[in-house]
Amino acid sequence: MSSPANLDVNNEITEGVYTPCDIGSNMILSPPGYWERYHSAEDPELQLVLALLSLSLSMYMVTVLRNLLSILAVRSDSPLHSPMCFFLSILCWADIGFTSATVPKMIVDMQSHSRVISYEGCLTRMSFLVLFACMEDMLLTVMAYDCFVAISRPLHYPVIVNPLLCVFFILVSFFLSPLDSQLHSWFVLLFTIIKNVEITNFVCDPSQLLNLACSDSVINNIFIYFDSTMFGFLPISGILLSYYKIVPSILRMSSSDGKYKGFSTCGSHLAVAC
């Protein structure tokens, strides 16, 4: 009986034609020596990496500071104590969490010239990323509904968008976001067999972790499409439907001041949604 052919792991990794099930659990998903070349001080790309590092750090600090100032302005100014500003302050907290789930890791990777992250760390990062992304989707949908009521039903706005409804919307958002995050984590843990790996990506998208699974990829694709429909397509549809009703209501206004006030009311939210 002839012996089975030996698998040349180094050659397979270099050529990039391997699969997690073929190689085993102790692997690094990047070509050997790919990031070590940045350690050379004479590398012409070093200055570009440092420039990108400074730019990323500056943009991250500006994003966090902008959101904190927005939250402080809403809390300190009583005229801004409206449902829209209340939703905006929660959205700012979610945006800080979403940005902090990816950008600091990216900055550290650029400084250390390595993108390697453990399976456990990638799973944790993915959970926070999905959590805050879903929370932002829910909040943007709620804010679109708030704009719709404010423009199309201005006289009934205080009755419809009451404090009880606002708290209900926030509680629903806080319930669905962790549910979506835990659903992703459970699905990845259920179908990912190889766990003792190092992954070279700072975003840790669920599809990347599902690529480590040895199961049928059709099941993974079905889950991704279903989740994208529930927590992606439906919120976007709600936002588009709200503005489908908002724009005709604004155009029907007789005065130019009313049209300007209507567009300014929902303009900032539309910019963020886009």
Side-chain angles (χ1 to χ4, degrees), residues 29-107:
L29 303 182
S30 60
Y34 180 78
W35 289 102
E36 285 77 358
R37 63 189 180 92
Y38 285 120
H39 286 288
S40 175
E42 300 177 356
D43 196 297
E45 298 184 11
L46 182 59
Q47 298 298 326
L48 177 60
V49 172
L50 293 177
L52 291 176
L53 176 63
S54 302
L55 179 62
S56 301
L57 182 60
S58 301
M59 293 180 64
Y60 174 68
M61 296 302 297
V62 169
T63 300
V64 174
L65 182 61
R66 179 199 63 193
N67 286 294
L68 290 177
L69 290 177
S70 299
I71 295 171
L72 182 62
V74 172
R75 296 293 179 86
S76 60
D77 196 351
S78 57
L80 295 179
H81 292 174
S82 63
M84 175 60 74
C85 293
F86 172 69
F87 295 139
L88 179 62
S89 62
I90 304 298
L91 181 66
C92 290
W93 283 116
D95 188 55
I96 292 175
F98 180 80
T99 307
S100 301
T102 54
V103 178
K105 173 61 178 174
M106 180 187 69
I107 295 175

Side-chain angles (χ1 to χ4, degrees), residues 114-134:
S114 174
R115 295 189 301 176
V116 172
I117 185 174
S118 64
Y119 173 85
E120 293 78 9
C122 191
L123 184 63
T124 303
R125 191 171 301 278
M126 180 206 69
S127 300
F128 283 105
L129 183 67
V130 174
L131 171 68
F132 292 113
C134 182

Side-chain angles (χ1 to χ4, degrees), residues 147-154 241-260 262-263:
C147 288
F148 163 71
V149 178
I151 300 298
S152 302
R153 305 288 189 272
L241 180 62
S242 298
Y243 280 97
Y244 175 76
K245 300 291 186 179
I246 289 174
V247 174
S249 299
I250 296 178
L251 295 179
R252 284 196 298 265
M253 295 180 179
S254 57
S255 63
S256 58
D257 293 339
K259 293 180 180 180
Y260 174 79
F263 280 115

